[in-house]
């Protein structure tokens, strides 16, 4: 039972780190789009 609980805990930890990394990349992409829109508006 402890082994199953440990496996579930590790799986959740890896999934949460992956999701955090994905959201970070999405935020960077969104920032780049915002910069391009701002640059186009200034022209």
């Amino acid at each position: 039972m402890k082994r199953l609980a440990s496996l579930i805990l590790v799986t959740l930890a890896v999934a949460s780190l992956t999701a955090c990394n994905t959201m970070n990349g999405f935020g960077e992409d969104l920032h780049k789009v915002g910069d391009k829109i701002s640059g186009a508006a200034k022209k």
Side-chain angles (χ1 to χ4, degrees), residues 2-40:
K2 286 185 179 183
R3 188 174 181 147
L4 178 61
S6 296
L7 181 63
I8 291 172
L9 184 62
V10 168
T11 303
L12 288 174
V14 169
S16 67
L17 289 174
T18 303
C20 183
N21 195 14
T22 302
M23 290 305 295
N24 189 25
F26 177 72
E28 290 175 8
D29 292 341
L30 193 60
H31 187 262
K32 288 178 186 177
V33 170
D35 287 344
K36 289 186 180 189
I37 291 172
S38 294

